[in-house]
Amino acid sequence: MDWVTLLEQDAVVAAKQMLGWRFISRIDGSPTGGIIVETEAYRGRDDPAAHSYRGITPRTRPMFMRAGTVYVYFTYGMHHMINFTTGAEGEAEAVLIRALEPTEGIECMARRRGMDNLRQLTSGPGKLTRALGITLAQTGTTLGGELDLLPPLAAPSETDIVTTTRIGISEGRDLPWRFYLRENQFVSKR
DNA sequence: GATTGGATCGCCT
DNA sequence: GGCGATCCAATCG
């Protein structure tokens, strides 16, 4: 399966199936990245927690573009968050990448993070964007270039996947749209 | 034009 | 477990 097929699905389906895929950045030359171990789905019209819920704005425009578009936003005055648009164009759904298991360019990521504890390198949405060099410069771009998504080397089994509620939101807090790999040391929070 | 609060993290206690 | 950092974008007047 390629990322187009993965991401043209509903955000909830894509978020779950994205576990095990590898996310690679080539920003500033040397590749950095790892295995996706935690995701959250954000839908458009029926999800009050989604940035696209209240319609199109200059910030949220990438969410309304075709599947595989990168949506980056800045929050808490210091953190970048990265999402990939899913579903049909205009549905404005996306998957937030919340944690990676580091595999590629670990030294480079440690340098960007200013620390070398492997477990803390990319175990959170703000941490991983910093480790991979992602900023608002990447919002609106398409996968397959500087940022890329590669199929799993070994797909996780159904029993390895934990389904739970999303973190840090108020409206829509009961929806079971967060997914992570059971027992994985790089998940942001159990 | 000003205000307000956010899909967080790391350090301090 | 609590809080400060730090700034953008949405909302309101």
Side-chain angles (χ1 to χ4, degrees), chain A residues 123-189:
Chain A
S123 56
K127 299 177 189 179
L128 74 91
T129 52
R130 186 159 189 78
L132 272 63
I134 293 162
T135 66
L136 291 176
Q138 279 73 44
T139 201
T141 62
T142 305
L143 285 173
E146 214 171 23
L147 300 179
D148 210 355
L149 206 48
L150 307 175
L153 296 173
S157 69
E158 187 69 27
T159 55
D160 286 336
I161 298 174
V162 180
T163 302
T164 180
T165 54
R166 296 174 293 181
I167 292 176
I169 57 167
S170 45
E171 288 185 285
R173 69 169 71 213
D174 297 331
L175 296 166
W177 288 352
R178 172 172 173 249
F179 306 95
Y180 66 88
L181 293 180
R182 193 184 302 277
E183 307 281 304
N184 189 284
Q185 301 296 297
F186 302 94
V187 168
S188 69
K189 197 179 167 194

Side-chain angles (χ1 to χ4, degrees), chain A residues 46-169:
Chain A
D46 58 351
D47 181 6
H51 287 174
S52 55
Y53 182 66
R54 294 173 204 288
I56 191 166
T57 70
R59 178 178 63 145
T60 61
R61 203 171 81 83
M63 277 190 80
F64 291 80
M65 296 167 66
R66 70 177 182 281
T69 303
V70 172
Y71 170 47
V72 181
Y73 68 92
F74 188 78
T75 192
Y76 293 108
M78 35 178 32
H79 299 295
H80 295 277
M81 305 283 139
I82 187 162
N83 305 253
F84 304 137
T85 301
T86 68
E89 185 167 357
E91 294 277 310
E93 304 184 347
V95 174
L96 169 69
I97 308 302
R98 284 194 55 91
L100 301 177
E101 178 173 336
T103 59
E104 201 77 21
I106 290 171
E107 276 190 28
C108 180
M109 292 196 289
R111 208 176 316 123
R112 284 176 177 148
R113 293 271 290 111
M115 54 95 88
D116 63 358
N117 182 332
L118 192 65
R119 282 185 58 164
Q120 295 175 25
L121 217 47
T122 53
S123 56
K127 299 177 189 179
L128 74 91
T129 52
R130 186 159 189 78
L132 272 63
I134 293 162
T135 66
L136 291 176
Q138 279 73 44
T139 201
T141 62
T142 305
L143 285 173
E146 214 171 23
L147 300 179
D148 210 355
L149 206 48
L150 307 175
L153 296 173
S157 69
E158 187 69 27
T159 55
D160 286 336
I161 298 174
V162 180
T163 302
T164 180
T165 54
R166 296 174 293 181
I167 292 176
I169 57 167

